[in-house]
Amino acid sequence: MIEFRDVSLSYPTPEKGRRTIFEDVSFTIERGELVYLVGKTGSGKSSLLKLLYMDREPDAGVVSVGHYRSDQIKEKEVPYLRRSLGVVFQDFQLLPDRDAFENIAFALYATGKSGAAVKHRVLQVLARVGLTHRQRAMPHEMSGGEQQRACIARALVNEPPLLLADEPTGNLDPTVADGIHALLLKLHRQGMTVLMATHDYRLVRQHPARTLALTKGRIVEVTPEVLGAEE
């Protein structure tokens, strides 16, 4: 499902130099896996996810997502890649002038769907995330947990096989975070491949799975127990 092969990434600095985010990173994620991506703030977790939905290009190496490769993908193919995965952000990124239903429907309109097919599919995913009763709520009327459920529904609406979650519980209190995490685990059990960037080591220890740590510009595989000292 995912392969990084000798991938390096850096950003320009104000001094016209380069800041290395990571170097020579290699790993694979198989279809159906649940994988946590952990690391300190600024370690490059969000940057790594951006490489997966081709918002950035690596300085070196190859990123593969399904049959798409960073060194071969054409610009016109990027929207199709992005439809093959769902992305859940920490800060929700809902359209503030549209209710929950329309925020989710917007992702379908963008693919050319309309009419009854849109309504049917949106109601399906709202039910899947437990948000049917809030479908006409505006973002400012929803709690943080409800907004994140709407974001997850939006990520699911095109039926992607891969879900990328970037600190999905980062802005939520522990009780609400537990509910969102449980929802993501349920989606994984239903067959979805999930890569979750998180610094919520409490949840990782409670629900252990394969864990990759970004540290000092490298990827290392760790066991959840070793994360306790960093929390």
Side-chain angles (χ1 to χ4, degrees):
M1 180 64 78
I2 292 172
E3 181 181 15
F4 271 51
R5 190 165 69 245
D6 302 322
V7 174
S8 298
L9 180 68
S10 64
Y11 286 113
T13 65
E15 296 78 24
K16 298 185 179 179
R18 304 288 297 184
R19 174 177 171 257
T20 297
I21 308 300
F22 43 75
E23 283 187 304
D24 299 322
V25 163
S26 296
F27 66 90
T28 59
I29 295 176
E30 300 296 333
R31 185 177 297 274
E33 275 198 279
L34 165 66
V35 179
Y36 296 115
L37 176 65
V38 301
K40 295 179 180 177
T41 300
S43 61
K45 299 189 298 296
S46 294
S47 296
L48 188 149
L49 295 182
K50 287 180 179 180
L51 290 173
L52 290 171
Y53 53 89
M54 307 289 175
D55 193 49
R56 287 197 59 85
E57 295 181 14
D59 297 344
V62 177
V63 176
S64 299
V65 182
H67 64 274
Y68 296 100
R69 289 171 47 121
S70 60
D71 61 337
Q72 296 177 353
I73 192 167
K74 298 177 174 63
E75 187 175 347
K76 65 182 181 181
E77 294 175 318
V78 172
Y80 297 98
L81 159 71
R82 291 177 180 169
R83 288 174 202 169
S84 74
L85 49 86
V87 185
V88 178
F89 298 98
Q90 177 179 354
D91 55 356
F92 313 138
Q93 297 193 15
L94 294 171
L95 298 168
D97 59 342
R98 304 183 192 213
D99 61 28
F101 184 101
E102 287 298 325
N103 262 282
I104 299 162
F106 185 79
L108 290 172
Y109 298 147
T111 67
K113 295 182 175 67
S114 61
V118 169
K119 182 177 180 180
H120 177 70
R121 181 60 185 154
V122 173
L123 292 176
Q124 275 188 325
V125 294
L126 281 166
R128 196 172 180 186
V129 302
L131 206 62
T132 303
H133 66 298
R134 298 291 279 159
Q135 62 180 284
R136 290 304 175 188
M138 301 296 286
H140 71 271
E141 297 172 328
M142 292 190 282
S143 68
E146 289 171 340
Q147 288 185 67
Q148 193 59 291
R149 286 177 183 271
C151 291
I152 294 170
R154 181 181 58 191
L156 297 177
V157 77
N158 282 308
E159 302 183 79
L162 172 62
L163 183 68
L164 307 177
D166 191 359
E167 301 282 5
T169 62
N171 286 338
L172 306 174
D173 66 51
T175 301
V176 177
D178 288 347
I180 294 298
H181 197 83
L183 175 57
L184 294 172
L185 293 176
K186 179 181 177 182
L187 295 172
H188 167 248
R189 289 193 297 271
Q190 292 171 346
M192 183 166 285
T193 307
V194 179
L195 174 59
M196 186 186 317
T198 183
H199 65 264
D200 195 337
Y201 300 149
R202 175 185 65 90
L203 288 174
V204 176
R205 290 197 305 273
Q206 286 179 356
H207 306 280
R210 184 181 174 207
T211 303
L212 303 175
L214 259 175
T215 177
K216 298 179 181 178
R218 303 284 180 177
I219 280 274
V220 294
E221 195 153 338
V222 299
T223 57
E225 291 78 9
V226 307
L227 301 173
E230 300 178 42
E231 189 174 52

